[in-house]
Amino acid sequence: MIAAAAAGALLLTGGVTAVANAVAPAGTPVAAPVKVAADVLPAPENVVAQNRISVGASSKAVNAALAKCQADKLPFVTVALVDRFGTVQALLRGDNAAEHTIEAAKQKAYTAAAFGAPTSELAKRINGNGPSIADLPGTLFLPGGVPLKVNGVSVAGIGVGGAPDGALDEACATAGADALAAAAK
Amino acid sequence: MIAAAAAGALLLTGGVTAVANAVAPAGTPVAAPVKVAADVLPAPENVVAQNRISVGASSKAVNAALAKCQADKLPFVTVALVDRFGTVQALLRGDNAAEHTIEAAKQKAYTAAAFGAPTSELAKRINGNGPSIADLPGTLFLPGGVPLKVNGVSVAGIGVGGAPDGALDEACATAGADALAAAAK
Amino acid sequence: MIAAAAAGALLLTGGVTAVANAVAPAGTPVAAPVKVAADVLPAPENVVAQNRISVGASSKAVNAALAKCQADKLPFVTVALVDRFGTVQALLRGDNAAEHTIEAAKQKAYTAAAFGAPTSELAKRINGNGPSIADLPGTLFLPGGVPLKVNGVSVAGIGVGGAPDGALDEACATAGADALAAAAK
Amino acid sequence: MIAAAAAGALLLTGGVTAVANAVAPAGTPVAAPVKVAADVLPAPENVVAQNRISVGASSKAVNAALAKCQADKLPFVTVALVDRFGTVQALLRGDNAAEHTIEAAKQKAYTAAAFGAPTSELAKRINGNGPSIADLPGTLFLPGGVPLKVNGVSVAGIGVGGAPDGALDEACATAGADALAAAAK
Amino acid sequence: MIAAAAAGALLLTGGVTAVANAVAPAGTPVAAPVKVAADVLPAPENVVAQNRISVGASSKAVNAALAKCQADKLPFVTVALVDRFGTVQALLRGDNAAEHTIEAAKQKAYTAAAFGAPTSELAKRINGNGPSIADLPGTLFLPGGVPLKVNGVSVAGIGVGGAPDGALDEACATAGADALAAAAK
Amino acid sequence: MIAAAAAGALLLTGGVTAVANAVAPAGTPVAAPVKVAADVLPAPENVVAQNRISVGASSKAVNAALAKCQADKLPFVTVALVDRFGTVQALLRGDNAAEHTIEAAKQKAYTAAAFGAPTSELAKRINGNGPSIADLPGTLFLPGGVPLKVNGVSVAGIGVGGAPDGALDEACATAGADALAAAAK
Amino acid sequence: MIAAAAAGALLLTGGVTAVANAVAPAGTPVAAPVKVAADVLPAPENVVAQNRISVGASSKAVNAALAKCQADKLPFVTVALVDRFGTVQALLRGDNAAEHTIEAAKQKAYTAAAFGAPTSELAKRINGNGPSIADLPGTLFLPGGVPLKVNGVSVAGIGVGGAPDGALDEACATAGADALAAAAK
Amino acid sequence: MIAAAAAGALLLTGGVTAVANAVAPAGTPVAAPVKVAADVLPAPENVVAQNRISVGASSKAVNAALAKCQADKLPFVTVALVDRFGTVQALLRGDNAAEHTIEAAKQKAYTAAAFGAPTSELAKRINGNGPSIADLPGTLFLPGGVPLKVNGVSVAGIGVGGAPDGALDEACATAGADALAAAAK
C-alpha cells in the first residue's frame, strides 16, 4: 500500500526515507527511485516481533500527563514517553519548564521502561553505600517514571520532571499511563 | 496564584521545582519549603519580555504536522517544534521512523527558527564552495523546517524529517504551522 | 513463562533487569521482588508490533560477513549489525582492525537500515554541491552497508568497514545478509 | 523598525541572521533578501510571553559580581549569568581562574535559576544517601548560585566559582544580583 | 601474503584500509595503489609485543556467555568482550535487552580487563565514603565483569549486563571465559 | 600579597580555589588551610611567560563590540573573546540572539586567535575541493573573527555571530578590538 | 626573528599556523602570506602575563615520573602534565597502561593545578555526605596529582594513574616535579 | 617478575591497577591483595600477538619531531604518537601552540596509522565531490601524519599540527619516525 503510493517515483518502503532531501527545496519533482539489486530477505526464523506504543497513543499519554500536572497547578514540567531503547516517542515541555526537566523526564521514563517498575519503587533499592544501579549510564532513580507493559513485558515508560516533589511528578506520569489503559478507551 | 496553590507547603514559584525529589518516593509528605533570604528583584528596566509558542499550541502543531504526513502515506517521520534557543517544545516520532529523523527534525526546526525562513529557502543560498552557514553548529539546511513568527520576530520553528523528499517534509511542517494560524482557530 | 522462571524470587519480566546489581557481588542471595502497584496495561489499539532480527541471526550474520572478508584476505575489518534505531545488535572487530572501522561499520549499517538501500546506491545520489543527506547526523554514505527487510520494511542493516575498497566491504556485508536468507537455512 | 534598517537588502527580522555569512568576507555587498512565501503567523492564544534579563543588565551584573570578588582579593573566579534554559547570557573569567570555574559558574547559576533558590539553601536538602536531585543533569549544588526573579518567577541565575569557600562565591553572586535591584539604579 | 593478494592493485598491508572507499560504489575497478616514499621501519628495540584475544575466540566467548544466560531464562542481556584499551572486540545484544545494557556490559568488561579482577571482587573495595576508584572515567564496579589473562597479564574482559542480579550476570560472563580455557578446546 | 590576604585562613594562592565549597553553605566559617609538604618550585629555566588579555579589557572589548552591533540595528548577536587555548574570557549574548550564535562567536574568535588573522581573510584560502583547514576541530572560517596580538604574537580573538552578513559581524568584532588599542585609552 | 624566518613567504607569527595546510601535500611551494589590515594592538594596560611550564621542562618531568614508576616495577602507568586551563602539555603512556589511566592522569594533574595542592591532601577534605568539590566537572580527587607553582601561584600539575595504590602514583608524580626543581638542574 | 615485586602485597599483574586508590592518600599502607577465584586462562589458539611502539621509543620520537620543528623556527606545534586504536602513546605541545593543534596532531597520526600511508599521500585521493573517506570519524586528511610499520604492518603513526604549511608539519613528523629507524640507533 505504501509502495503503491510511491509508484513511478521512489522505491518507497517504510525504510526508504529522505533520499531526495539533498536534491532540492520544496517544489522540486520527486526524485527517481533508488535502483537496487534484489533485496535479501531474512528467513522467518531469523525475525522476532516486538511490541511498541504507537505514536498516536504516545501523544495521547503525554498530553494526559501534562493535563494532570496543569490541573495540579504544576504547569512547569516536561513529560516524555520513551521506548526500551531509550529513544523518545513523544515529548511535551510545559511553559516555563527549566532545561534539565527535559533530560530528567527522558531518563526517568527510560529507567522505568528498562527495569519494568516505577522509579519510586526502584529508588528504594539503592542505599547509597558503594556502587549501585544508580551508576548505570542513562538512568535516573528519582520518582516520576512509570513503565508500560504489554503481555507482561515492559515496552516503554512515561517520565515527568519539574514538580517540587517526586510524588507529584509520579501522579502525572500515572495519569499518562492511565490514558492508555483498556478502560480509558 | 501559583504561589497560593503551594501555601503551607513549598515555596512554589514557577522556578521552584523538584526540590523534594530526593526526599522520598510517591506517598511521602510534601517537603517543607526552602527558606531563603529576601529575594533580590531586578528593576523593570533590566527585564525584557519574549514571546514563545505555548505548550498547548506546540502539541497542536506537531500533531497536525504528523497527521498531514500520515494522510500522505508518510507515517515514518519525526516532527519537532523548537524555540530560538534550540530547545524542543514538542516532539512526536512516527511509527517506524528511523533514529536520525529525531535529530534531523530538531535541527531543521531550529535552523528555520534561528534564521526566520524555511530551510528550503535558506538552502538555496549555499553553493558548497568554501565555508558557509552550513558549517554553523546545530544547523541543518535540508528542506522540512519552517519558522513561526510573532510581530515579525521568529520565535520558533517546526521541523519534519523522514520523508523521501524534502518537499514532502516541508508540506507536513507547513501543515503544522497552519494549525496555529489565526484562521485555524 | 519468563515470569514463572522467577517465581519466588524477582518479579521477572523481560523488562525487570539488574535490580539487585547494587546489592552485592556474586554469591549474594537473589534480592526480593520489586513490589509495585497493579501495572497499567495499554489497550491493544495503543500497541504496534515491529519486526527485528533476532540475536541468534545477528550473530550468524556478522560471523558470515567476517568469514567472507577473511577468505578475501581482508581480516582487518569490523562488521556490525544495527537496527533502525541505530543500536548495535552484534559486532565483531577483526584482528588488527583500526579504531575508526567500528564506528564506520555501525554508521554504514545504520544508513542502509534507515534508508532501505545499500549505501553504495545511496552514495550515487549525493553530488556534493550544497547541503545533502550526507549532512544527516549518524549517517555515512560510503559503500559497505546493506539493508535487511521484512515484508518490504527495512528493519536492520549490516555494515563493514576497513577494506581498501568499498566494493570489498560491500561483498562481505552482502555475505552476511545472505546467511540470513531463506535459502541459506 | 528593524526591518526598515534592512530595506532594500535583507529581509531583516530579529530572526533572520547570518544568511549571507557564506557569501563573502568583509566588503562584499549585502546579499539579496531571502524571498519566502507569506509567513504563517500564530494566533495570539498560541503565544506566551516570558520575562528575561536584558543583555545590558546581564553585563552589569557579572561585572558587579567580579568587582566584589576582586575587592575581596579573589580575582581568580568566573562569573556567569544564565537563563532558565541553561544558556549563558553573560560571562567573565577572572585572570588566572582555573578551567573548571567556567562550567561550575554556569551550573551554579543554572541550578539557582531552575529551582528558584540559592544553591547554598538547596544543598541543605541533599543528605547524600541514595538518589537525589544532585543526580539531575546540568545541576551543581555547591554554594555560589543565586536566582533572579520577576513577578515571583525565577527567570535567571548568577553563579560564581573559584573562591576557596562557597560562602565567598555566594557573596559575589549576591553582589551581582544587587546591582540589578530597583534600589541599585 | 596479504600484499600478494593485492598485487597490481592496492599497496595492501594490514594497515592500508578503505583508501578507495571514496572513489566509487560497488563495481568500480579497484583504485591504483598509494605511492609512498620508502617507509621508515622502527628498529626492533623500539617495539613491544602485546597479547590479545583473537576475533574468533572473542565471538566464541560472547556466544557462550549469551547461551548461558538464555539457558538461565535471562535472554534480555548484552554481552561484550573488550580489550585493555576499552575497545570492543565482540558484542551481542540479547532480544529485548534494554539500551543501557550495552554500555554497562562494555564498562564491566573494561573494568575487569583494566584491574585484572572480577568486578564483583573490585566492588568490595569501595565503601562509598569520599573519592574512590568508582570515580575513574569509563569504569563500572557492578558484578558481571571478568578478566582474561595471558601469562599473568590481564589482556581483555568479558562483561554482561541486564540480569536482575549481578551474580547472574557474572555467571554468564564466567561461562564466556570458560569457553576460551585450554580445557574448553 | 594575595597570600597575605588569606593569612589565618586558607593557604590562598591564585591556585587554591573552592577547597571549602564542599563543607557548607553560606555562613559557615572559613575552612582550615590545606596543609601540604613544602611545594616543589620549578627552576626559572623551566618557565615561560605568556601574554593574555586581562578580564577587565575583555569585558570592555565585548561591550564595545555589542554596542557597535546595537548601533547598527543588529542587537541579536553574540560576542565572545577567547584565548589561544580556546577558552572563553568574556561573552555577551544580545537579546534574542539565536542559540548557535554562542558557539559561532566562540569558534570565530578562536580561529582568529589561533591563526593570527581575521576569519574573513582566512576564508579566502579555502576553495572547498578536498581536505582543508576547515576540517580542523573547533574552527569556523566565517567572517566575524579578528585576532588580538601582543608583540606580534596572536594571544586572543574576538568573534561575533548573528548578523545577516559576515561583514557586519566583522565590523562589530573590529570595534571590540579597537576599544583595546593604545589610542582607545 | 620568527617573522624573519618566513620572509617572502607566510606572514609568520606565533599565531599564524597551518594556513596552507589545505593547499597541498608535501612538496607544494609555500603559500603566499595572508594579507591583513593593520593589526589592532591592545594597549599594555590591557595585557597580563602568565607563567607556564615550558615544553622542554614538561617533557623532562613526564619522563622522570615514568622512570620512577618503571624503577618501582610499575611500568603500566600514564603520566600527564597539564596547565591551569586543563590542557595537556606532555603525556606518556607506559607500556600496557589501561585506557582509563590517560584520563585519570590528566584529571589528577588538572585538579592539583587548579587547587594548588596535591590531590592526596585535597581528598581528605571530602567526606562524601552531600554535594562536594568532587562534583566539579573535570576534577578527580584520587592521590597521584601534584601542583607546580611559580611565585606562589599554581601554574600546572603532574598526574599519574595506574599504580595499584595512590601513594605509589604520587611518588612518581613527585619525582616528576622534583626533576624541575632548582636543585635538579 | 612483576608479580614478585608485589609479593605480600597486591596481586600485581600488569592488569591490576589502582585498586587501592580509593583507600587513602599518600602514606597509607598498601592495601591487601584482591582475592579472586582461580583465573580462567585462554588457550593459546585464542590469543594473537600485536606489535606496538614502546613508550621509550614513543617519547624519543615526539621529542625528535619537536626538535626538528624548533630548529625550523616552528616551535608552536603539537606532536603526537598514537596507535592503531587511536590512543595516544606520547604527546608534546610546543610553547604557544594553539588548542586545535592537539587534536589535529592526534588525528593526523591516527589517520596515517590506520591507513598505513602519509596523510599527504592519502589526501590526494579525495577529490571533494560526494562522500569520501574524509567522512570517516576520527580521521583528518591534512599533511603532517606518517605511519610506523613493523613487518609491513602499520602499528602506529606520528602526527604534527600547527606549522603554516602541511609540508613543514610532515618534515617534523618524518624526523620523529627517523629517530626510531634502525640506522638511528
Side-chain angles (χ1 to χ4, degrees), chain E residues 60-103:
Chain E
K60 186 164 52 173
V62 294
N63 275 283
L66 181 62
K68 166 67 174 164
C69 267
Q70 288 172 328
D72 291 348
K73 307 297 184 199
L74 302 164
F76 36 71
V77 297
T78 294
V79 182
L81 190 151
V82 311
D83 64 19
R84 261 175 83 79
F85 303 128
T87 306
V88 66
Q89 307 274 106
L91 185 144
L92 288 178
R93 181 188 194 178
D95 296 330
N96 210 34
E99 182 73 14
H100 73 275
T101 60
I102 295 176
E103 196 62 22

Side-chain angles (χ1 to χ4, degrees), chain G residues 2-184:
Chain G
I2 289 174
L10 257 182
L11 177 137
L12 238 201
T13 73
V16 177
T17 55
V19 170
N21 263 337
V23 178
T28 305
V30 173
V34 175
K35 289 201 181 65
V36 297
D39 288 318
V40 176
L41 303 183
E45 70 269 24
N46 293 325
V47 178
V48 291
Q50 185 175 39
N51 289 315
R52 299 173 59 82
I53 305 299
S54 73
V55 66
S58 298
S59 179
K60 186 164 52 173
V62 294
N63 275 283
L66 180 62
K68 166 68 173 162
C69 267
Q70 288 172 326
D72 292 347
K73 308 297 184 198
L74 302 164
F76 36 72
V77 297
T78 294
V79 182
L81 190 151
V82 312
D83 63 20
R84 260 176 84 80
F85 303 129
T87 307
V88 67
Q89 307 274 107
L91 186 144
L92 288 179
R93 182 188 193 178
D95 295 331
N96 209 35
E99 182 73 14
H100 73 275
T101 60
I102 295 177
E103 195 62 22
K106 285 186 195 173
Q107 291 182 350
K108 289 178 182 180
Y110 172 70
T111 305
F115 290 81
T119 49
S120 58
E121 295 297 324
L122 295 165
K124 294 175 184 169
R125 299 200 158 250
I126 304 173
N127 63 11
N129 284 329
S132 79
I133 49 173
D135 300 333
L136 290 168
T139 61
L140 184 63
F141 290 88
L142 296 180
V146 298
L148 295 171
K149 297 183 181 178
V150 176
N151 298 337
V153 176
S154 178
V155 299
I158 301 178
V160 177
D165 186 293
L168 300 173
D169 284 324
E170 188 174 85
C172 301
T174 300
D178 286 343
L180 303 187

Side-chain angles (χ1 to χ4, degrees), chain A residues 15 17 32 45 114-115 125 185, chain C residues 15 17 32 45 114-115 125 185:
Chain A
T17 55
E45 71 269 24
F115 290 82
R125 298 198 160 254
K185 280 183 285 188
Chain C
T17 55
E45 71 269 23
F115 291 81
R125 297 199 160 254
K185 280 182 283 188

Side-chain angles (χ1 to χ4, degrees), chain A residues 36-67:
Chain A
V36 296
D39 288 318
V40 176
L41 304 183
E45 71 269 24
N46 293 326
V47 178
V48 291
Q50 185 176 40
N51 289 315
R52 299 173 59 81
I53 305 299
S54 73
V55 67
S58 298
S59 180
K60 186 165 49 172
V62 294
N63 275 284
L66 181 61

Side-chain angles (χ1 to χ4, degrees), chain B residues 15 17 32 45 114-115 125 185, chain D residues 15 17 32 45 114-115 125 185:
Chain B
T17 54
E45 71 269 23
F115 291 82
R125 298 200 158 252
K185 280 183 284 189
Chain D
T17 55
E45 70 270 24
F115 291 81
R125 299 199 159 253
K185 279 183 285 189

Side-chain angles (χ1 to χ4, degrees), chain F residues 13-19 32 35 39 42-43 45-46 48 50 52 54 84 114-116 121 125 133 149 152 180 185, chain G residues 13-19 32-33 35 39 43 45-46 48 50 52 54 84 114-116 121 125 133 149 152 180 185:
Chain F
T13 72
V16 176
T17 56
V19 169
K35 289 201 181 64
D39 289 318
E45 70 269 25
N46 293 324
V48 290
Q50 184 175 39
R52 298 174 60 82
S54 73
R84 260 176 83 80
F115 291 81
E121 296 297 323
R125 298 199 158 253
I133 49 173
K149 297 184 181 177
L180 303 187
K185 281 182 285 188
Chain G
T13 73
V16 177
T17 55
V19 170
K35 289 201 181 65
D39 288 318
E45 70 269 24
N46 293 325
V48 291
Q50 185 175 39
R52 299 173 59 82
S54 73
R84 260 176 84 80
F115 290 81
E121 295 297 324
R125 299 200 158 250
I133 49 173
K149 297 183 181 178
L180 303 187
K185 280 181 285 189

